[in-house]
Amino acid sequence: MTTLPNIQIYKFNFIIQCLDDTMLPEYKGSLLRGVFGTAFRQATCITKEKTCDNCIIKNNCSYFNVFETEIPDNDAWFLKGIKKTPHPYVIHPPLDNKQVYKKGELIAFGVTIFGKYIKDFPYFVYAFILAGKIGISVRRSKFKLLFVDNITLTESIRIFNDDSGQLLSKYKTIDINEFDSEQKEIRTLTLNFVTPLRIQELGLFKDKNKITPELIIRTIERRIFVISNLFCDYKTEDYKTYINDSLKISNNNLYFYNWERFSNRQNTKMQMGGFKGTLTLTGNFTDFYPLIKLGSYTNIGKNSAFGLGQYEVIVY
């Protein structure tokens, strides 16, 4: 894939302030996603039905469209095995393992929104304002949303300030054309997975040696195709990029990181382990670098809405 699809990526940084002493888990992505989903539903649901199944206005409801829609019948390879539409956003939790926050401390986390769903961004902001009043974690610790910044490749623009309570209505995207302009002869690069990578094809395997260059590139490609087709109305042709034999893994320093989350919907604990660490690739990246770089802005693999599958690209 030498030409990237025309997708829109909007990145934001949220800064909240603890109003109580707060205890959070080491990995905060699931917790943030949970309180966000609960608050989003409270903010947007008119009927207050327990489920969306029989709601007569669900197709016009922001909550249903962001969280509950189903994928129409489609034979595209990158949609096989997916029943529910992947969420059109990613929550990027803090990457440290800090758990204890004192009253008054600040916490920063990121939110990325794709394509046409930017129209719902005011609900995202209001949902986190409401979530602060509901409280977070078992103790229902309260917080306040102080600031929201719109992040591009070159600048950070403040679009919400709690003092004024006003939210700007125009947002800038990540200019993915810059990834093509960065393209050059690259023979070695490292992917540093800072949050757990969960790949559907690996199932429950914890063997890092089952990860290949082709599996990584197909996973990135699948993610980009889903975003372009479902969120940006850009109908990508159903093809797979040819992967040359020169790509090799020269250093595999991945390790399996296990964690679990409690699902309120299923009323059970769920294992959410995945691979963290670094993976160094060598070979001819002329055709792949823009795609690999783009994937670092979308997260890849399963459960990306929780912030899983986030990686950094290090070029030598």
Side-chain angles (χ1 to χ4, degrees), residues 59-189:
N59 291 330
N60 294 315
C61 172
S62 291
Y63 175 80
F64 180 79
N65 289 326
V66 171
F67 288 90
E68 300 288 349
T69 51
E70 295 185 356
I71 292 178
D73 292 336
N74 197 308
D75 294 329
W77 71 269
F78 52 88
L79 293 177
K80 289 180 180 177
I82 302 177
K83 295 181 180 179
K84 289 282 188 180
T85 300
H87 299 307
Y89 66 87
V90 174
I91 292 178
H92 304 279
L95 296 179
D96 58 59
N97 294 326
K98 183 174 180 177
Q99 294 182 271
V100 178
Y101 294 85
K102 297 295 184 181
K103 179 179 178 180
E105 282 196 73
L106 304 183
I107 303 175
F109 60 90
V111 174
T112 296
I113 300 176
F114 304 114
K116 59 188 177 183
Y117 288 88
I118 191 61
K119 66 180 176 57
D120 294 309
F121 182 65
Y123 288 121
F124 280 65
V125 175
Y126 181 69
F128 278 109
I129 294 174
L130 183 59
K133 298 176 181 179
I134 296 172
I136 196 170
S137 77
V138 176
R139 300 180 183 180
R140 293 299 179 194
S141 302
K142 303 298 190 289
F143 64 84
K144 178 168 65 173
L145 178 62
L146 293 183
F147 309 113
V148 180
D149 297 331
N150 183 195
I151 309 298
T152 71
L153 294 179
T154 59
E155 60 183 334
S156 175
I157 307 162
R158 182 137 298 170
I159 59 172
F160 173 82
N161 187 321
D162 177 64
D163 289 339
S164 67
Q166 295 182 344
L167 175 68
L168 298 183
S169 58
K170 292 185 178 180
Y171 319 113
K172 294 186 177 182
T173 63
I174 296 295
D175 185 2
I176 66 174
N177 293 320
E178 289 296 318
F179 304 151
D180 279 316
S181 67
E182 293 176 16
Q183 189 172 353
K184 54 186 178 181
E185 184 174 344
I186 299 172
R187 292 294 176 177
T188 303
L189 60 77

Side-chain angles (χ1 to χ4, degrees), residues 12-295:
F12 303 94
N13 192 42
F14 284 61
I15 300 95
I16 62 176
Q17 182 180 43
C18 299
L19 300 181
D20 301 309
D21 291 344
T22 304
M23 175 73 76
L24 300 179
E26 286 189 5
Y27 185 78
K28 305 164 187 65
S30 176
L31 186 69
L32 287 169
R33 159 62 179 83
V35 71
F36 166 63
T38 298
F40 198 104
R41 197 176 200 279
Q42 288 190 23
T44 58
C45 177
I46 297 175
T47 64
K48 306 305 178 184
E49 297 284 347
K50 290 185 178 181
T51 69
C52 302
D53 296 341
N54 298 316
C55 179
I56 63 173
I57 61 173
K58 64 183 182 182
N59 291 330
N60 294 315
C61 172
S62 291
Y63 175 80
F64 180 79
N65 289 326
V66 171
F67 288 90
E68 300 288 349
T69 51
E70 295 185 356
I71 292 178
D73 292 336
N74 197 308
D75 294 329
W77 71 269
F78 52 88
L79 293 177
K80 289 180 180 177
I82 302 177
K83 295 181 180 179
K84 289 282 188 180
T85 300
H87 299 307
Y89 66 87
V90 174
I91 292 178
H92 304 279
L95 296 179
D96 58 59
N97 294 326
K98 183 174 180 177
Q99 294 182 271
V100 178
Y101 294 85
K102 297 295 184 181
K103 179 179 178 180
E105 282 196 73
L106 304 183
I107 303 175
F109 60 90
V111 174
T112 296
I113 300 176
F114 304 114
K116 59 188 177 183
Y117 288 88
I118 191 61
K119 66 180 176 57
D120 294 309
F121 182 65
Y123 288 121
F124 280 65
V125 175
Y126 181 69
F128 278 109
I129 294 174
L130 183 59
K133 298 176 181 179
I134 296 172
I136 196 170
S137 77
V138 176
R139 300 180 183 180
R140 293 299 179 194
S141 302
K142 303 298 190 289
F143 64 84
K144 178 168 65 173
L145 178 62
L146 293 183
F147 309 113
V148 180
D149 297 331
N150 183 195
I151 309 298
T152 71
L153 294 179
T154 59
E155 60 183 334
S156 175
I157 307 162
R158 182 137 298 170
I159 59 172
F160 173 82
N161 187 321
D162 177 64
D163 289 339
S164 67
Q166 295 182 344
L167 175 68
L168 298 183
S169 58
K170 292 185 178 180
Y171 319 113
K172 294 186 177 182
T173 63
I174 296 295
D175 185 2
I176 66 174
N177 293 320
E178 289 296 318
F179 304 151
D180 279 316
S181 67
E182 293 176 16
Q183 189 172 353
K184 54 186 178 181
E185 184 174 344
I186 299 172
R187 292 294 176 177
T188 303
L189 60 77
T190 293
L191 307 182
N192 179 26
F193 288 94
V194 295
T195 63
L197 169 68
R198 291 166 56 83
I199 297 181
Q200 181 170 313
E201 288 81 356
L202 291 179
L204 298 177
F205 291 115
K206 299 181 181 180
D207 184 359
K208 67 180 184 180
N209 295 316
K210 293 183 179 293
I211 296 179
T212 64
E214 180 172 7
L215 181 58
I216 290 293
I217 290 174
R218 290 283 178 251
T219 301
I220 298 172
E221 190 174 49
R222 177 182 181 130
R223 175 68 165 154
I224 301 308
F225 281 11
V226 164
I227 291 171
S228 63
N229 279 263
L230 299 183
F231 308 148
C232 301
D233 292 330
Y234 182 89
K235 302 305 179 185
T236 309
E237 293 183 12
D238 186 9
Y239 70 92
K240 293 184 178 182
T241 303
Y242 171 74
I243 298 176
N244 61 65
D245 294 335
S246 73
L247 298 187
K248 306 291 183 184
I249 294 177
S250 62
N251 202 351
N252 187 335
N253 286 322
L254 296 175
Y255 61 93
F256 195 83
Y257 176 86
N258 205 11
W259 67 286
E260 64 181 19
R261 64 177 288 263
F262 184 81
S263 171
N264 289 319
R265 177 176 295 184
Q266 300 183 39
N267 194 32
T268 186
K269 290 183 177 179
M270 304 177 64
Q271 296 297 317
M272 301 289 286
F275 291 102
K276 294 180 68 175
T278 60
L279 190 70
T280 299
L281 305 177
T282 60
N284 184 355
F285 292 96
T286 302
D287 291 332
F288 307 117
Y289 176 75
L291 178 70
I292 292 172
K293 184 70 174 180
L294 180 56

